[in-house]
Amino acid sequence: MSEPRRLLAGLAPALVVLGATLAGLPLDNYPKYVIAIAIVSIVVGASLVVLVGLARCITLAAGSVMAIGAYTSSLLAIHLGVPYLIGLAAALLTGAIAGWLIALPGTRFRGHNLAMVTLVFQSVCIILIREAKTLTGGAEGIHVPAPSLFGWTVRSDGDFLLLIGVLSALAVLVLTVLVRGAFGKNLQAAAGNEVAAEAFGISVPAYLTAAFVISSVGVAFAGALAAPRVRILDPESYGVMASIFMLAYPIVGGMHSIWGGLLGGGGLRVLPEFLRPVADYQELFFASLVIVVVMFFPGGFVELIRRGVLALRGHPAGPREAPQPAVAGAQAAAAVTPLPAPDGAAPLLVVEGVDRHFGALHAVNAAHLTVPVGGIHGLIGPNGAGKTSLFNIVSGFLAADAGRVAFDGTSLLELAPRDRIRLGITRTFQHVAVFGQLSCLDNVIIGRGRNGVLAAIGQSVDEMRSGPLTARARGEALAALDAVGLADLAGMPAGALSLGNQRRLEIARAIVSDPRLILLDEPVSGVAEAEIEELRALLLRINAERRIAMLVVEHNIPFVARLCRSLSVMGAGAIVAEGTPADVIAMPAVRQLYFGEDVAA
Amino acid sequence: MRRGPLHRIALALAAAALASTVAPSAMAQEAGVSDTEITIGAIGALTGPIAFIGTPGRDGMTLAIDEINAKGGVCGRKLKLNFEHASTPAESLAAVKKLVEQDKVFALVLASGSTGAAAAADYVRQVGVPTYNLYGSTPIIREPFSKNVFHGAIVPVEVAAPGLIGLFYDDGHKPQKIGVLAGTYAFPQATLKAVEAHLKSKKIDYALEQFDQSARDFTSQLVSFGRQKVDSVLILGSFSEAGFAIKQARELGMANIRWVLDGSAVSRAIVPIIGNADGIRGYFNNPAFPGQNDTVREFEARLKKQLGSMPQGRPNNYDMIAYGSTYVIADAITGTGCQLTRDKFLASWSSLKNAGPKTMGGLDVSFPESFTETDHQGNYRLGAAVVKNGEWQVYRVIERP
Amino acid sequence: MAELALVLIAGAKFGAIYALAALGLVVVHKATKTVNFAHGAFAMLGAFSSYLVVVHWQWPYWMAYVLTPPLIGVVAALIEFLILRPLRRADMFTVVIATVFLGIALSEAFRLTYNTELLAVPGMFVGMPFVFHGVFMTQETLWVIAGALVICVACVLLFRYGRLGRGMRAMASNVRGAQLCGYSVDRVYMFAWFLGGAMAGLAGVFVAPVSGVSVELSIAIISAGFVAGVIGGFDSLKGAILGGLLLGVSESLAAAYVSSALKNCISFLLLFVVLMWRPEGLFPETVARRV
Amino acid sequence: MIPLRVTGLTVSYGRVAAVRDLDLNIAAGEALALLGPNGAGKTSAVEAIAGLLPKRAGRVELFGEDISGLTASAIVRKGLALVPQWRELFPTFSVEETLVAATGAAQGRSPKPLEEIYALFPVLEERRGQLAGSLSGGEQQMLAIGRALVTNPRLLLLDEPSAGLAQGITRSLIQAIIRIRDSGVPILLVEQNMEIARAIGSRCTMLAAGSLAWEGTMDEAIARNEAARVYFGTH
C-alpha cells in the first residue's frame, strides 16, 4: 500500500466520526443529539471489537464499565468540582482498573464461564453504585452538570456534538491504531492459536489482560463522554440488558475490523430512531437480528458489505490462492545435499535423562539426544513411543519430571515456551498453526519475536506514524517469505493457503527471527507426495544457507532419512538406537520396533 | 424582592394582553397546531421492565383522545397523539427532542418512569414546551419549578408519605411498630426518603428492610420484622413484589398485620397473588377503583373494546391517570379561547380549576385538577383504598394530608 | 430456632426450584456441551403455560404438570434443530451468544403477546398450613420442595438407568464411543434438548405460583440455575440438585442475617468463589475435569 | 455378496488429504490386515468406513448395500462395528453398563448375549461392576472389543488392538480375535506389528502417505520384506 493510502486507511475510521460530527452540526437539535449518542456507541463498538472480535472474549460487563466511566467523571465534577477533562482522564484510569479486575478471572475462563464471571462483575458494580446513595444518588439518579473546559461551557446540542465528536474521533483513532497494528494482529494470533502464539513470544494472558484493559478504557471513556449529554445518571441505564445489547454491536457490525465496531455501534444506536413506528418490536427485532447474523453471516455487516462490493466489482467472493505459488526457488535448490557434519562441532541442544510419567505410563524414560550446531537431527519411532512427549518437553509445552535440556549451555526446562524464541529456538507444528485471519506477511512478522504487549503497542503507533514496520523488518519478513517461495502470496490471508504452503509459511515464520535451532514437528504430515520432496529441499537449503540447526520429529522415515544427518529412534519412551539414517534403519532392533517381535506365536 | 399574588396576576394579565395584541391572527400557527389537528407528543416505555407503565399510558391517552375527537375535538381540531418509546434517560432525551424539534408537538406528556422523565424534564425546562408529567413523583423531576412543566394525579412524595402513614391509623388501629419494606430501585427509594423523613419527624419507631427489583422471596425480611415485633408493614414497590411479600408473610404465620401499600402496588393484579387480600390498604391516585362504580366499570368496558382484550391487572392506575390527564390537557386547550399559542396555553393551564374528564363529557375516573401560576401540582388528593371481598375500594378521600 | 427454621424452609423452597432449573441446564450441557442461556426463557414459557391451563382455560391443575413439560420440550427440541444444529461446528463463543439472544427474543415475544407486568397463578394447594412449634409450612411449600426434589431424583434415575439416559451419558462421556454404540448424535442432542426443555417447563410450573409469570422470571431462573450448576460442578446431576439447594439456603440465610439489600450479591459471590477456587464445583461427578 | 467393498475412498481433514483413492475388499470369513507406517492414513480409512469421519469421495458397500452416506450410528446398526484406536470407552460406565449401552445398536439382529462376551473375555465378567476408567489397558481393549461384539456385527473393524499393551495380554487378545474370525465374522485389522497381522490375517493391504502401496498375502509381504520398503523406503 502506498504511503498516503496507508495513512488514510489508518485515519479513515476517525475521519468518518469527524465527518459525521461535521455533517451533524448544521442539522436540527434532534439529529445532532442522535448523532452524538451514536458516536458514543461507536466508541463502545470499536472498543468491544478489541475484546470480542480480536480476543474472542465474551463480556456481559460493558454496561457496568460504562457506568464506571460515567460515574467517575460525573461524581468528580459534582462533588469536587473537578474540571471536565481531568474527570475524563480519571474515567480512563478507573476504566483501566475495571478492565484489569475483570481480566483477573477473565483470562482464566472461556465461553459460558466467562459470560457468567463478567455478569457477576456487572451486577455487583451496579448494586454497589445503587447502594452508595449519598455519593451516587442511588437508584433515583443524579443530575450531571454541564461540562466546561477552558472557559467553554458545553450546553447546546451543537456544542455537545462537537465535543463528543472530536474526543470520540481521537478515541477511535487510538483504537484503530491498536486494532490494525501489531497489537491487534498479535491479539488475534493469541486468540486464534494459543500454542503457536506462545511459541512466538506472545504471552496469551498478557494480551488478554491488555484486551480487557483497552476495551474497558474505551467503554469507560464513552460512558464519561455520554454522561453530561444525557443529563441524568442512573444505574438502571447501565444494567445487564444494556450490556447484552452492547455485546451485539461488534457481533452485528462485524467483529474482526474496527469498521464493524463503527457500523454496529452507530447503526444499532441510530436504527431505533428509524424504527419508532414499530418500537414495540424493537428488542425482539434486535435479538433476532443477532441470531441471524451469528448463524448466517458470522462476519457481520462489514463482511456482507465487503462481499457485496467485491461482487459488484466482479471479483469472486472469497479470497483465492494465486494459481502458481513461486516454488521455482525451492526446486532449484533440490540438488542441495546435506552439509557434512562439522567435525567436533559443539552440541547446540543437549537432552539428558529426561523422564516423564502420565499416571502409570512412563511416556519418556531417561531419554537423551543431541543436536550439533548447524546439524539436522531426526527423532523417529512408532506410535506411542514418546516422541511427541519428548518434543513437547524440549519446546516447553510439557514439563519434565526429571532430566536436563540445555541449549547452548542454557537450561530450557524452566523457560516458558514464549521465552525460547529469545534464545534462538523456534518451531513448527504438527497440525499447522498459522494465524489464519492474518496475512502471510503478518504471520511472518509475528515470527520475528519481540511480541511483548508494550512493544506491540509501541510498534502499532510506529506503524501508523511511519509505515508498517521499519523497512528493514519488513524486508526481513519478505526475505523469509521469498526463501520459502511464498513472496507472491504475502498479502493473502494465511487461512486461505494450501496445506503445503501453510507448512512453508510456518517455516518462513520460524526462520525470520534468525534462530539457531528450529524444532520441526512432523513437517510433512498430510502433505502430498509431490510437495514432500520440495519441502525437503527447502529445509536443506535453509540449513545450508542460514546454518540453522533442526530437530525433526517425523513419521515419514524415507523423508527423515534423506533430510537428517543423524537419527534417534524411540521405543516405549526410551532411545533405542542412534546413528546415521542408513545405520539406524538397518538395525534389527529398529525393524523389530516397527514390525513387531513375534508375540503371536 | 418578594412578589405578592396580586403582583403576579397583574403581570400575567399584562403579558396576556400584550400577547393578544402582538400576535395578529395572520401570524404563523403555533408548533403542533394546524387547521385540522393539534399534535400532542408523549414518551413512555413500550418494551422492557417498565413497559407496564408506558403501555397503559399510551392506551389511556388514546382512549381519551378518541373520545374527544369523536365529539368533534377541541377548538375545531382533532387531537393527534405521537407516542414514542423511551425508557432510559438517553432514550427519553432522544424521544422528546424528536417530538419537540422534528414533530413540533404542541404539548408533551411524560408517561415514563422517574429517571427517563427527569432527563426529559430537564430538557423541556430549557425549551419551554408545555409538558405534563404523569407518573413521576420524585423531586428530581419536579425541581426546580418551571412554568411549563405540570404534574397531575400523582402527588409528590412529600405529600404521599404522610397520607401513607395515616392509613395505619384508620379505623382506630394503633400500630405498635411499623416495618418499612422498600425496593432498592428508583421510585420506592424516592418514596422511602420522604417516608423516613416523615416517620422521623413524627418520632415513630420503625424497622427498615429492602429488596431487589422483581424479588420473589421476602422470608428473611419478614422474619426480621417478626423478630422486631412489627405489627404494621408499609410496602414500597410494585404490586407483584407487595403481593408475594404478603403471601409469604401469611405462610410464615404472621397474622394480624396491617398492610399498607404504595400507590404503585395498589392494583387488581395483587389479589390473585395473595388469594384473600381483604383488609390490605393503600392509596390510589384516583377517586374510585376499577369496578367500584358504574363510571369506572364503563371505563373498563371502553378500554377493553379499544384493546380487544384486557391484560391481567388492567385497567390500572396508569390507564386512568393517562385518560384523565388527557382531558386536563384538552380542558387547558379549550381554556385558551382557541387562541392556540403556547403562552396562551400555559396561561390557561395555570388557571385551570377542577379540570378533568367530567367537564368535557368524559368518564369521571380521575380527581379534578386545579393549577395556579405558582403551583403546578394539579392534584393533592389521595384515595384511601382497601380490599373488601377481593375487590379494591376507595373508602375515603385524603385531602391534602 | 423457629426463625432459623423458617428461613431454611424458604431457602429450601427456592433451592428446590433452582435445583430443577439447574438440572435441565446440566442435562443439556452434559449431553451436548452447550450451555443454554435461553433456559430461563423456557422456564418462563413453562410458567406461562401453567397460567394458560390454570387461569385462562380453568382446566384442572394437574394438567399443567402433564401438558407443560412435553410442550416446552418440543419447543426446545425445535430450537435445537433450527438454531443449535447449524451451529454445532461453531465455537462455544458463537453458541453462547446465540442462546443469550435467543432467551431475549423468547422473553420479548412473550411480553409482546401478553403485555403485562405479571400474571399471577394460584397455588395447587390452598389448605391449612402445617404448624410445628411455631414453624409454619404451607401445603404449597411442602409440594414445591417435595415435588421438585422428587422430580429431580426421578430425572437422575432416568439419566442413570434409562436407555435414553444411558445414551446421553454415553454421548457426554465420549461422542465417538456413543456413536459406535449406535446412538445418533442428532437424536441424542435433540432428546437432550427436549429433556432440558421439559425440565425447564416443569421448573416453570413449580415456580409460577411462587413467583408469577413475568419476563424477569427468565433472568432469575437462568442466573440461579447457572450458579447452582457451577456450584454443583456443572456436569453432575446430583451436584446440580445439591447446588440448587445450597444456593437457595445460603441466599436466604444471607438475606436474613447479613443484609437484605445485598441478597443478589450473595449468589454472585458464591459463583465467583467456586469458579475461582474450585472450578470443578463442590460436588463434581468425576475427580479431574478441565475448566 | 462380499462383506465389504470400498472403492475410491478419499478422506481429508480440511486441506490435509489423509487417504487418497483407496480400494479394498474383504471376502466372507476373511481377515484383512491394513498395514503401513504412522500417518499413512490407516486410522482415517477405517474411521471413514465406519462413518466417524466424513468421506471426501468414494463408496463403501456392506454386503452389497451402499452405506457411504450414513452416520456412524446408522452404520453400526447396519452391522459394521469398529473398535477404535483410542478405544473410546465411557470412563464412568461400569463394564456391564458399557456392554448394555451397545445392545441398542443390534436393531433387527438380536444383540449378542453378554454371556458370550464374558465367555470370550472371562476377566470382564470378574470386573463387570468396575468402572471402565479404572480398568487396565488390556482390559479396556477387551471391553472395547466386547462392546463392538454386543452389537452382533456382520463385519468387525479393529484399529491397532495391540497398541500399548504388554506381550502377554496381546497374546490372549490375538487368540480372542482369531476366535471371532473363526466364528465367521470378517475382520479388517489395522496393525503395525507384522507378526500380529500375520497371525490374524491372511491378506494385507499396505498404505503409504494415504495411498495404496502394496497388496498381497501376509506371507508374501514378510518374505519379500515389503514392509521395510514401504516404511523406510529401503530394501
Side-chain angles (χ1 to χ4, degrees), chain A residues 29-30 33 130 133 139-141 143 157 229-232 234 237 273 276 279-280 283, chain B residues 47 58 84-85 89-90 93-94 97-98 101-102 115 119 122 184-185 189-190 193 212:
Chain A
N29 285 338
Y30 164 58
Y33 173 82
R130 199 188 64 201
K133 284 174 207 160
E140 282 178 83
H143 274 283
D157 289 276
R229 173 69 290 215
V230 298
R231 295 157 187 269
I232 299 288
D234 72 319
S237 295
E273 301 298 330
R276 286 197 169 278
D280 297 47
E283 284 178 30
Chain B
T47 70
R58 177 180 62 181
E84 299 293 356
H85 161 77
L93 257 185
K97 277 177 191 283
K98 183 225 174 220
E101 287 158 23
Q102 186 171 305
T115 51
D122 220 32
T184 52
Y185 51 103
Q189 290 292 311
K193 214 185 274 172
D212 281 329

Short mmCIF file of all heavy atoms in Angstrom, two decimals, chain A residues 29-30 33 130 133 139-141 143 157 229-232 234 237 273 276 279-280 283, chain B residues 47 58 84-85 89-90 93-94 97-98 101-102 115 119 122 184-185 189-190 193 212:
data_model
loop_
_atom_site.label_atom_id
_atom_site.label_comp_id
_atom_site.label_asym_id
_atom_site.label_seq_id
_atom_site.Cartn_x
_atom_site.Cartn_y
_atom_site.Cartn_z
N ASN A 29 -31.56 20.06 16.31
CA ASN A 29 -31.04 19.56 17.58
C ASN A 29 -31.26 18.07 17.75
O ASN A 29 -30.43 17.37 18.31
CB ASN A 29 -31.71 20.31 18.73
CG ASN A 29 -31.14 21.70 18.86
OD1 ASN A 29 -30.03 21.97 18.41
ND2 ASN A 29 -31.91 22.59 19.46
N TYR A 30 -32.40 17.58 17.28
CA TYR A 30 -32.69 16.16 17.46
C TYR A 30 -31.67 15.29 16.72
O TYR A 30 -31.03 14.42 17.34
CB TYR A 30 -34.13 15.88 17.04
CG TYR A 30 -34.46 14.43 16.80
CD1 TYR A 30 -34.29 13.48 17.81
CD2 TYR A 30 -34.95 14.01 15.57
CE1 TYR A 30 -34.61 12.16 17.58
CE2 TYR A 30 -35.28 12.69 15.33
CZ TYR A 30 -35.11 11.77 16.34
OH TYR A 30 -35.43 10.46 16.11
N TYR A 33 -28.40 15.46 18.47
CA TYR A 33 -28.35 14.64 19.68
C TYR A 33 -28.15 13.18 19.33
O TYR A 33 -27.30 12.49 19.90
CB TYR A 33 -29.65 14.83 20.47
CG TYR A 33 -29.77 13.90 21.65
CD1 TYR A 33 -29.15 14.20 22.86
CD2 TYR A 33 -30.49 12.71 21.56
CE1 TYR A 33 -29.25 13.35 23.94
CE2 TYR A 33 -30.60 11.85 22.63
CZ TYR A 33 -29.98 12.18 23.82
OH TYR A 33 -30.07 11.32 24.89
N ARG A 130 -25.69 1.58 43.21
CA ARG A 130 -27.03 1.86 43.70
C ARG A 130 -27.04 2.05 45.21
O ARG A 130 -27.76 2.89 45.75
CB ARG A 130 -27.90 0.66 43.32
CG ARG A 130 -29.37 0.90 43.32
CD ARG A 130 -30.07 -0.42 43.13
NE ARG A 130 -29.81 -1.30 44.27
CZ ARG A 130 -29.93 -2.62 44.23
NH1 ARG A 130 -30.31 -3.22 43.12
NH2 ARG A 130 -29.68 -3.35 45.29
N LYS A 133 -25.69 5.50 48.11
CA LYS A 133 -26.66 6.55 47.79
C LYS A 133 -26.12 7.96 47.96
O LYS A 133 -26.35 8.83 47.13
CB LYS A 133 -27.90 6.39 48.66
CG LYS A 133 -28.78 5.26 48.22
CD LYS A 133 -29.92 5.05 49.19
CE LYS A 133 -30.36 3.61 49.12
NZ LYS A 133 -31.10 3.16 50.27
N ALA A 139 -30.53 4.75 43.24
CA ALA A 139 -31.31 4.31 42.10
C ALA A 139 -32.05 5.46 41.44
O ALA A 139 -32.38 5.41 40.26
CB ALA A 139 -32.31 3.25 42.54
N GLU A 140 -32.32 6.53 42.20
CA GLU A 140 -33.08 7.65 41.65
C GLU A 140 -32.30 8.43 40.61
O GLU A 140 -32.86 9.18 39.82
CB GLU A 140 -33.43 8.63 42.76
CG GLU A 140 -34.56 8.21 43.61
CD GLU A 140 -34.77 9.24 44.69
OE1 GLU A 140 -35.43 10.25 44.42
OE2 GLU A 140 -34.21 9.05 45.78
N GLY A 141 -31.00 8.28 40.64
CA GLY A 141 -30.19 9.01 39.68
C GLY A 141 -29.72 10.35 40.20
O GLY A 141 -30.08 10.77 41.30
N HIS A 143 -28.25 14.43 38.80
CA HIS A 143 -28.06 15.38 37.70
C HIS A 143 -26.58 15.54 37.40
O HIS A 143 -25.78 15.70 38.30
CB HIS A 143 -28.58 16.77 38.11
CG HIS A 143 -30.04 16.92 37.85
ND1 HIS A 143 -30.55 17.14 36.60
CD2 HIS A 143 -31.10 16.89 38.69
CE1 HIS A 143 -31.87 17.25 36.68
NE2 HIS A 143 -32.23 17.09 37.94
N ASP A 157 -26.86 21.50 21.85
CA ASP A 157 -26.66 20.23 21.16
C ASP A 157 -25.46 20.29 20.24
O ASP A 157 -24.72 19.33 20.11
CB ASP A 157 -27.92 19.88 20.37
CG ASP A 157 -29.06 19.47 21.28
OD1 ASP A 157 -29.12 18.31 21.66
OD2 ASP A 157 -29.88 20.36 21.63
N ARG A 229 -24.21 14.48 28.56
CA ARG A 229 -25.11 14.63 27.42
C ARG A 229 -26.52 14.17 27.78
O ARG A 229 -27.51 14.76 27.39
CB ARG A 229 -24.54 13.83 26.24
CG ARG A 229 -25.35 13.70 24.99
CD ARG A 229 -25.49 14.99 24.24
NE ARG A 229 -26.31 15.95 24.92
CZ ARG A 229 -27.13 16.81 24.30
NH1 ARG A 229 -27.19 16.81 23.00
NH2 ARG A 229 -27.83 17.67 24.98
N VAL A 230 -26.62 13.07 28.55
CA VAL A 230 -27.95 12.58 28.89
C VAL A 230 -28.48 13.16 30.19
O VAL A 230 -29.56 12.82 30.62
CB VAL A 230 -27.99 11.03 28.94
CG1 VAL A 230 -27.65 10.44 27.60
CG2 VAL A 230 -27.05 10.50 30.00
N ARG A 231 -27.72 13.99 30.82
CA ARG A 231 -28.15 14.81 31.96
C ARG A 231 -28.40 14.04 33.24
O ARG A 231 -28.09 14.51 34.32
CB ARG A 231 -29.45 15.58 31.63
CG ARG A 231 -29.28 16.60 30.54
CD ARG A 231 -30.62 16.88 29.91
NE ARG A 231 -30.50 17.74 28.74
CZ ARG A 231 -30.58 19.06 28.78
NH1 ARG A 231 -30.77 19.68 29.92
NH2 ARG A 231 -30.45 19.77 27.69
N ILE A 232 -29.07 12.90 33.15
CA ILE A 232 -29.40 12.14 34.36
C ILE A 232 -28.60 10.85 34.34
O ILE A 232 -28.61 10.12 33.35
CB ILE A 232 -30.89 11.80 34.41
CG1 ILE A 232 -31.74 13.06 34.43
CG2 ILE A 232 -31.20 10.94 35.63
CD1 ILE A 232 -31.70 13.83 35.71
N ASP A 234 -28.20 7.28 36.02
CA ASP A 234 -28.85 6.33 36.93
C ASP A 234 -28.33 4.94 36.65
O ASP A 234 -27.98 4.62 35.51
CB ASP A 234 -30.37 6.39 36.76
CG ASP A 234 -30.81 5.77 35.46
OD1 ASP A 234 -30.13 6.02 34.44
OD2 ASP A 234 -31.82 5.06 35.44
N SER A 237 -29.74 2.49 33.71
CA SER A 237 -29.37 2.63 32.30
C SER A 237 -28.19 1.76 31.92
O SER A 237 -27.96 1.52 30.74
CB SER A 237 -28.98 4.08 31.99
OG SER A 237 -30.07 4.92 32.16
N GLU A 273 -34.20 4.90 16.16
CA GLU A 273 -34.85 6.17 15.82
C GLU A 273 -35.69 6.02 14.55
O GLU A 273 -36.71 6.66 14.39
CB GLU A 273 -33.80 7.27 15.63
CG GLU A 273 -32.93 7.54 16.85
CD GLU A 273 -33.74 8.01 18.06
OE1 GLU A 273 -34.78 8.66 17.87
OE2 GLU A 273 -33.31 7.71 19.20
N ARG A 276 -39.07 3.81 15.13
CA ARG A 276 -40.02 4.30 16.12
C ARG A 276 -41.46 3.83 15.88
O ARG A 276 -42.14 3.46 16.83
CB ARG A 276 -39.97 5.82 16.20
CG ARG A 276 -38.72 6.30 16.91
CD ARG A 276 -38.82 7.73 17.35
NE ARG A 276 -37.71 8.03 18.25
CZ ARG A 276 -37.72 7.74 19.53
NH1 ARG A 276 -38.77 7.16 20.07
NH2 ARG A 276 -36.68 8.00 20.28
N ALA A 279 -41.82 0.51 17.56
CA ALA A 279 -40.95 0.46 18.72
C ALA A 279 -41.24 -0.75 19.61
O ALA A 279 -40.36 -1.29 20.24
CB ALA A 279 -41.08 1.74 19.53
N ASP A 280 -42.50 -1.19 19.63
CA ASP A 280 -42.85 -2.33 20.48
C ASP A 280 -41.99 -3.55 20.15
O ASP A 280 -41.69 -4.35 21.01
CB ASP A 280 -44.32 -2.74 20.27
CG ASP A 280 -45.27 -1.64 20.67
OD1 ASP A 280 -45.02 -0.49 20.27
OD2 ASP A 280 -46.25 -1.93 21.36
N GLU A 283 -36.91 -4.67 20.52
CA GLU A 283 -35.98 -5.58 21.20
C GLU A 283 -36.04 -6.98 20.58
O GLU A 283 -35.02 -7.64 20.43
CB GLU A 283 -36.26 -5.62 22.69
CG GLU A 283 -35.72 -4.37 23.35
CD GLU A 283 -35.98 -4.31 24.83
OE1 GLU A 283 -36.04 -5.37 25.48
OE2 GLU A 283 -36.13 -3.19 25.35
N THR B 47 -41.29 -1.23 25.74
CA THR B 47 -40.66 -2.54 25.91
C THR B 47 -39.84 -2.48 27.18
O THR B 47 -39.62 -1.40 27.74
CB THR B 47 -39.71 -2.89 24.74
OG1 THR B 47 -38.57 -2.05 24.84
CG2 THR B 47 -40.38 -2.69 23.41
N ARG B 58 -50.01 4.96 27.10
CA ARG B 58 -50.41 5.14 25.70
C ARG B 58 -51.89 4.77 25.52
O ARG B 58 -52.63 5.50 24.87
CB ARG B 58 -49.55 4.24 24.81
CG ARG B 58 -49.94 4.32 23.35
CD ARG B 58 -49.07 3.43 22.49
NE ARG B 58 -49.22 2.02 22.87
CZ ARG B 58 -48.55 1.03 22.28
NH1 ARG B 58 -47.70 1.31 21.31
NH2 ARG B 58 -48.72 -0.21 22.67
N GLU B 84 -43.96 8.03 21.68
CA GLU B 84 -42.66 7.46 21.35
C GLU B 84 -42.14 6.59 22.49
O GLU B 84 -42.23 6.95 23.66
CB GLU B 84 -41.63 8.57 21.08
CG GLU B 84 -41.99 9.47 19.92
CD GLU B 84 -41.96 8.75 18.58
OE1 GLU B 84 -41.59 7.56 18.54
OE2 GLU B 84 -42.35 9.37 17.58
N HIS B 85 -41.55 5.48 22.10
CA HIS B 85 -40.96 4.61 23.10
C HIS B 85 -39.66 5.21 23.65
O HIS B 85 -38.84 5.73 22.90
CB HIS B 85 -40.65 3.24 22.49
CG HIS B 85 -39.65 2.46 23.29
ND1 HIS B 85 -39.99 1.81 24.44
CD2 HIS B 85 -38.33 2.23 23.11
CE1 HIS B 85 -38.92 1.22 24.94
NE2 HIS B 85 -37.89 1.46 24.14
N PRO B 89 -32.76 7.43 30.41
CA PRO B 89 -32.62 8.87 30.19
C PRO B 89 -32.17 9.21 28.77
O PRO B 89 -32.71 10.14 28.16
CB PRO B 89 -31.57 9.27 31.22
CG PRO B 89 -31.71 8.28 32.31
CD PRO B 89 -32.10 7.01 31.65
N ALA B 90 -31.22 8.43 28.25
CA ALA B 90 -30.71 8.75 26.91
C ALA B 90 -31.81 8.61 25.87
O ALA B 90 -31.97 9.47 25.00
CB ALA B 90 -29.54 7.83 26.57
N LEU B 93 -34.41 11.47 26.21
CA LEU B 93 -33.98 12.74 25.62
C LEU B 93 -34.13 12.70 24.10
O LEU B 93 -34.61 13.66 23.49
CB LEU B 93 -32.51 12.98 25.96
CG LEU B 93 -32.22 13.98 27.05
CD1 LEU B 93 -30.72 14.18 27.19
CD2 LEU B 93 -32.90 15.31 26.74
N ALA B 94 -33.72 11.58 23.50
CA ALA B 94 -33.85 11.47 22.04
C ALA B 94 -35.31 11.61 21.65
O ALA B 94 -35.64 12.34 20.71
CB ALA B 94 -33.30 10.12 21.58
N LYS B 97 -36.65 15.20 22.10
CA LYS B 97 -36.08 16.10 21.08
C LYS B 97 -36.76 15.86 19.74
O LYS B 97 -37.06 16.79 19.00
CB LYS B 97 -34.58 15.86 20.95
CG LYS B 97 -33.76 16.60 22.00
CD LYS B 97 -32.30 16.27 21.86
CE LYS B 97 -31.50 16.79 23.04
NZ LYS B 97 -31.27 18.22 23.00
N LYS B 98 -37.00 14.59 19.44
CA LYS B 98 -37.68 14.28 18.19
C LYS B 98 -39.07 14.90 18.19
O LYS B 98 -39.48 15.56 17.24
CB LYS B 98 -37.78 12.77 18.02
CG LYS B 98 -38.40 12.37 16.70
CD LYS B 98 -39.42 11.28 16.86
CE LYS B 98 -40.11 11.00 15.53
NZ LYS B 98 -41.52 10.76 15.68
N GLU B 101 -38.65 18.92 18.35
CA GLU B 101 -37.98 19.63 17.26
C GLU B 101 -38.34 19.12 15.88
O GLU B 101 -38.30 19.87 14.91
CB GLU B 101 -36.47 19.56 17.49
CG GLU B 101 -36.07 20.47 18.63
CD GLU B 101 -34.76 20.08 19.25
OE1 GLU B 101 -33.97 19.43 18.56
OE2 GLU B 101 -34.54 20.41 20.43
N GLN B 102 -38.67 17.86 15.78
CA GLN B 102 -38.99 17.33 14.46
C GLN B 102 -40.50 17.30 14.25
O GLN B 102 -41.01 17.82 13.26
CB GLN B 102 -38.41 15.93 14.32
CG GLN B 102 -38.57 15.35 12.93
CD GLN B 102 -37.78 14.07 12.81
OE1 GLN B 102 -36.57 14.02 13.07
NE2 GLN B 102 -38.46 13.00 12.45
N THR B 115 -36.50 8.21 36.11
CA THR B 115 -35.23 8.70 35.59
C THR B 115 -35.38 9.20 34.16
O THR B 115 -34.80 10.21 33.78
CB THR B 115 -34.16 7.60 35.65
OG1 THR B 115 -34.67 6.42 35.05
CG2 THR B 115 -33.78 7.31 37.08
N ALA B 119 -34.70 13.18 32.93
CA ALA B 119 -33.84 13.67 31.85
C ALA B 119 -34.64 14.52 30.88
O ALA B 119 -34.19 15.59 30.44
CB ALA B 119 -33.20 12.48 31.13
N ASP B 122 -35.65 17.96 32.39
CA ASP B 122 -34.52 18.87 32.37
C ASP B 122 -34.45 19.62 31.04
O ASP B 122 -34.20 20.82 30.99
CB ASP B 122 -33.25 18.02 32.54
CG ASP B 122 -32.26 18.68 33.44
OD1 ASP B 122 -32.71 19.38 34.36
OD2 ASP B 122 -31.06 18.50 33.21
N THR B 184 -35.15 -1.57 46.17
CA THR B 184 -33.89 -0.81 46.07
C THR B 184 -33.83 0.02 44.81
O THR B 184 -32.82 0.64 44.54
CB THR B 184 -32.69 -1.78 46.07
OG1 THR B 184 -32.91 -2.77 45.07
CG2 THR B 184 -32.50 -2.44 47.41
N TYR B 185 -34.88 0.01 43.98
CA TYR B 185 -34.80 0.74 42.70
C TYR B 185 -35.45 2.11 42.81
O TYR B 185 -35.86 2.52 43.90
CB TYR B 185 -35.39 -0.10 41.57
CG TYR B 185 -36.76 -0.66 41.83
CD1 TYR B 185 -37.88 -0.09 41.25
CD2 TYR B 185 -36.94 -1.76 42.66
CE1 TYR B 185 -39.14 -0.60 41.48
CE2 TYR B 185 -38.21 -2.27 42.89
CZ TYR B 185 -39.31 -1.69 42.30
OH TYR B 185 -40.55 -2.18 42.55
N GLN B 189 -37.32 4.06 46.32
CA GLN B 189 -36.29 4.77 47.08
C GLN B 189 -36.68 6.23 47.28
O GLN B 189 -36.43 6.81 48.34
CB GLN B 189 -34.94 4.67 46.35
CG GLN B 189 -34.34 3.28 46.38
CD GLN B 189 -33.89 2.86 47.78
OE1 GLN B 189 -33.20 3.60 48.47
NE2 GLN B 189 -34.32 1.68 48.21
N ALA B 190 -37.30 6.82 46.27
CA ALA B 190 -37.73 8.21 46.40
C ALA B 190 -38.79 8.33 47.49
O ALA B 190 -38.74 9.21 48.36
CB ALA B 190 -38.27 8.71 45.06
N LYS B 193 -37.39 7.87 51.01
CA LYS B 193 -36.73 9.05 51.58
C LYS B 193 -37.76 9.93 52.30
O LYS B 193 -37.56 10.35 53.44
CB LYS B 193 -36.05 9.82 50.45
CG LYS B 193 -34.75 10.49 50.86
CD LYS B 193 -34.19 11.33 49.73
CE LYS B 193 -33.33 10.54 48.76
NZ LYS B 193 -32.94 11.32 47.57
N ASP B 212 -34.54 -6.37 46.24
CA ASP B 212 -34.19 -6.00 44.87
C ASP B 212 -35.41 -6.04 43.96
O ASP B 212 -36.38 -6.72 44.24
CB ASP B 212 -33.13 -6.96 44.32
CG ASP B 212 -31.76 -6.61 44.84
OD1 ASP B 212 -31.53 -5.41 45.09
OD2 ASP B 212 -30.95 -7.52 45.03
#
